[in-house]
Amino acid sequence: MIEKLTTQAIELLNQLIETPSFSSEEEETAQLIEGWFIQHDIPFERENNNIWAYNEHFDDSKPTILLNSHHDTVKPNGNYTNNPFSAFVKDKKLYGLGSNDAGGCLVSLIATFTYFYKSLDLQYNLVIVASAEEESSGPLGLKSVLKHLKNVEFAIVGEPTLMQLAIAEKGLLVLDVSVKGTASHAAHPNDDNAIYNALNVIRWFETYAFNKISDTLGKVKMTVTQINAGKQHNVVPASCDLVVDVRVNDKYKNEEVLQIITQELPNNVVVKPRSLHLGSSSIPIDHPIVKSGIALGRTTYGSPTLSDQSVLSCPSLKMGPGDSTRSHSADEFIYLEEVIEGVELYIKTLDKILK
């Protein structure tokens, strides 16, 4: 049964690759996922482009494990040499946009859920959510359907981790920072040039160290990623605007980090967060699902990249086939063997705690 489900999962992955599904434009891939559940006689629910299903013998008295991955993709970057929407195999690699992030994870989790779907007397219920808008952190993604899910105790989020156990994940805080100055003609003296003022602010973001360091996620990391100022050569601008990417460890709430930044910067700097809801996440190393993975030879680590874990309030483990370093890269691919291993290890990891 596992071999058959894995073959079907790879077929579904091929179809997903060849069907464009940019964030907020996932209608057609949602239909493909519906087709899987229809083919396997599994009732499902859909809201917008999110699809979810429960195991056949769902029991309200039992806790639930959430299995989640996303079917949206980023847009292909300009360095592709292959057609990003052409799924083909070369050197045992399946190429195509979304193959690694996170199509391989999604189809492996769908196959795993289907494997356990009819099982009797499980210790936990299962619910799988194939979610939308993960890449854009959109409002109509996983967060929008959490209110419909029943008794979720913990989650496995499918993202490419080489099937290792990401037991913590950094949160994300994106800041719009405006450094103020005094506008003037460039020919006249001006000791309040917003661009010059911004140099010290940029250096502060580069060098400031937060006190709390996480055992799994390390330090809070701040990076200035965009800068914009001025409209013409002979005018000193009144402001210099920065965008700062802040990766928050599990020792801080996003609100705490924002407060520290605001307090440390001078009065001529205005800091506005784009959102505060993309927090860090973690699961105890002695949690049963983590112990099950470790018993299968998996290693634990802290992930610097963001996923739908950020919208979950329950403990969550990030784990999936593929390699995060390939995500969003040109000529994206996943090894077929990684998908095969993904289905096998998901089933073995869950089997230890479900039965």
Side-chain angles (χ1 to χ4, degrees), residues 30-31 33-34 37 44-46 49-53 128-130:
Q31 291 173 6
I33 295 163
E34 286 181 346
F37 290 125
F44 62 89
E45 298 182 59
R46 175 171 175 175
N49 294 322
N50 304 287
I51 299 170
W52 66 97
I128 186 162
V129 179

Side-chain angles (χ1 to χ4, degrees), residues 19-45:
T19 307
S21 56
F22 305 136
S23 293
S24 304
E25 302 174 16
E26 312 96 342
E27 294 89 351
E28 293 187 28
T29 49
Q31 291 173 6
L32 291 173
I33 295 163
E34 286 181 346
W36 172 285
F37 290 125
I38 292 169
Q39 176 187 352
H40 292 274
D41 297 319
I42 299 174
F44 62 89
E45 298 182 59

Side-chain angles (χ1 to χ4, degrees), residues 126-166:
L126 290 174
V127 60
I128 186 162
V129 179
S131 54
E133 297 194 5
E134 190 273 347
E135 295 290 5
S136 63
S137 301
L140 300 180
L142 176 63
K143 185 177 182 180
S144 70
V145 301
L146 292 177
K147 60 183 178 290
H148 301 305
L149 307 184
K150 306 171 185 177
N151 306 333
V152 174
E153 184 171 288
F154 70 92
I156 298 176
V157 176
E159 289 284 335
T161 69
L162 294 171
M163 290 305 289
Q164 306 305 334
L165 312 173

